[in-house]
Amino acid sequence: MPHASDASHASDTSHAFDLLVIGDANPDIVLGPLVAPLAFGQREQLVDTGLLTLGGSAAIMAAGAARLGLKVAFAGRVGDDEAGRFVTAALAARGVDTSAVRVDPALSTPLTVVVTRGDGDRTILTAPGTLAATRADDVPEALLGDSRHVHAASYFLLPRLAEALPALFRTARERGATTSLDTNDDPAGKWDTGGLGAVLAVTDLLLPNAREARALAGLPEDTPLEEAARQLALRGPLVAVKDGADGALVHDGRTAFRTRGIPAEPLDTVGAGDSFDAGFVAGLLAGRSDADALELAAVCGALSTRAYGGTPAQPTRDEADAALLSAPPVPSASTRNDTRTGTGNDTRNGKNV
């Protein structure tokens, strides 16, 4: 993936935005931890905490990138309802340009309820609303040429947008932008690699978690992660894989670099993978090497777990860099098997983030 220097990042005036994010945005209602099984029969169960916050993998990534200092625009579709107004206001409050958010007069904004348990597991209930209606013309063509990088998320939840994604990415690249994709989970479990192949051919950076990487590559769950990443990288993109407590790795099809991440005692891991995505893209746009961008991404994922919800604890660039300086020494590029914890690898909205 092409890199710009730190100096050019700071002085770049040829684009209105560093990053355009396209995809899903919805409110998350996070409740928990639930200490007993989820009960029906009109029973009411009490939990310690509840939070209404910004959700959707694309929206969380956009907020994280803006928090890191990037100029970010968001394109997607919400309903003409209180949930849609909440999402739009939440993005704007975090410094994301929302002028391209389209309001659907008929469909509702997606809504997700996340019920957590003390062991870190969760159950997720999502009403999809506008997700299936989001399409190519929800992405203004002018933004594709006015952004240094274009990122898409939740590929399998947005079928009409997914179908148009190869053309959107091709246009973005023709106009000088780089591209990235976080497919997230496929709730149907089909992992349709036929349509995905056309997207990967015009994708500069693929950002799956470990389970997704193996599934996207069509490999068994016990396949070594480096092999899954290698096979995906041979299809075109640089591949950065989130591996939860085992850190993360980046593969360019020839060599792999693995980071142990940053040790963390997470309060809530919802959205940690999206914050990882934001950190990796921010690192590359600042001219950092693939390995250094991976370190920044791991820090951003780990620090985002300090609070409930995907966005409240997302770090600034100064916070992330300070955490990097205080972290244990990172293994050299020739030492590719070390690991540490905290990059984000958990499931929400029927997708891994």
Side-chain angles (χ1 to χ4, degrees):
M1 179 175 174
H3 301 305
S5 70
D6 286 297
S8 67
H9 170 74
S11 60
D12 180 18
T13 58
S14 61
H15 298 85
F17 299 101
D18 297 306
L19 172 65
L20 167 63
V21 182
I22 57 180
D24 54 331
N26 58 265
D28 271 355
I29 301 171
V30 184
L31 301 170
L34 189 65
V35 297
L38 189 63
F40 289 86
Q42 302 185 44
R43 292 185 57 195
E44 184 170 359
Q45 295 170 276
L46 301 181
V47 295
D48 290 339
T49 62
L51 177 71
L52 173 65
T53 189
L54 179 65
S57 288
I60 294 172
M61 191 277 190
R67 181 74 170 158
L68 289 168
L70 299 188
K71 296 176 291 183
V72 183
F74 184 89
R77 181 179 290 236
V78 299
D80 185 12
D81 50 27
E82 288 302 316
R85 287 183 278 277
F86 169 82
V87 164
T88 305
L91 283 167
R94 289 162 173 81
V96 177
D97 186 286
T98 60
S99 58
V101 174
R102 176 168 293 186
V103 177
D104 191 306
L107 296 173
S108 62
T109 301
L111 182 64
T112 290
V113 176
V114 181
V115 182
T116 67
R117 294 195 317 200
D119 62 1
D121 199 2
R122 57 179 49 81
T123 186
I124 306 102
L125 302 173
T126 294
T130 59
L131 290 179
T134 306
R135 56 183 188 261
D137 62 6
D138 291 332
V139 184
E141 189 171 341
L143 276 179
L144 294 173
D146 215 10
S147 304
R148 298 174 62 205
H149 185 88
V150 178
H151 175 81
S154 301
Y155 177 86
F156 296 105
L157 292 183
L158 299 153
R160 295 181 69 180
L161 185 64
E163 183 178 346
L165 204 55
L168 290 172
F169 273 12
R170 192 175 303 111
T171 298
R173 295 177 95 191
E174 288 171 352
R175 299 184 181 186
T178 47
T179 59
S180 60
L181 173 66
D182 188 342
T183 66
N184 306 108
D185 189 33
D186 179 5
K190 296 180 179 179
W191 301 98
D192 177 14
T193 55
L196 193 62
V199 181
L200 294 184
V202 288
T203 298
D204 293 298
L205 172 63
L206 180 66
L207 293 154
N209 67 24
R211 187 177 67 84
E212 293 161 359
R214 294 182 177 101
L216 290 168
L219 298 173
E221 292 182 2
D222 60 353
T223 301
L225 189 56
E226 285 194 11
E227 176 59 19
R230 185 188 72 85
Q231 291 198 24
L232 289 171
L234 290 176
R235 298 172 68 182
L238 178 71
V239 179
V241 186
K242 296 156 275 193
D243 197 17
D246 289 326
L249 70 87
V250 60
H251 209 303
D252 64 5
R254 299 177 302 278
T255 58
F257 179 89
R258 180 179 277 276
T259 177
R260 294 170 297 170
I262 296 295
E265 296 181 5
L267 187 61
D268 180 13
T269 58
V270 167
D274 304 313
S275 294
F276 175 101
D277 295 351
F280 202 99
V281 170
L284 291 184
L285 288 178
R288 301 192 185 195
S289 68
D290 298 343
D292 287 344
L294 190 72
E295 288 295 313
L296 177 62
V299 164
C300 290
L303 293 181
S304 75
T305 69
R306 297 172 294 175
Y308 289 103
T311 60
Q314 288 178 316
T316 64
R317 183 70 65 91
D318 286 345
E319 288 175 326
D321 285 340
L324 278 172
L325 289 173
S326 63
V330 178
S332 68
S334 61
T335 306
R336 303 185 187 280
N337 295 313
D338 294 336
T339 58
R340 70 187 132 147
T341 61
T343 62
N345 190 27
D346 85 309
T347 306
R348 59 180 302 285
N349 287 20
K351 52 189 181 288
N352 291 329
V353 300

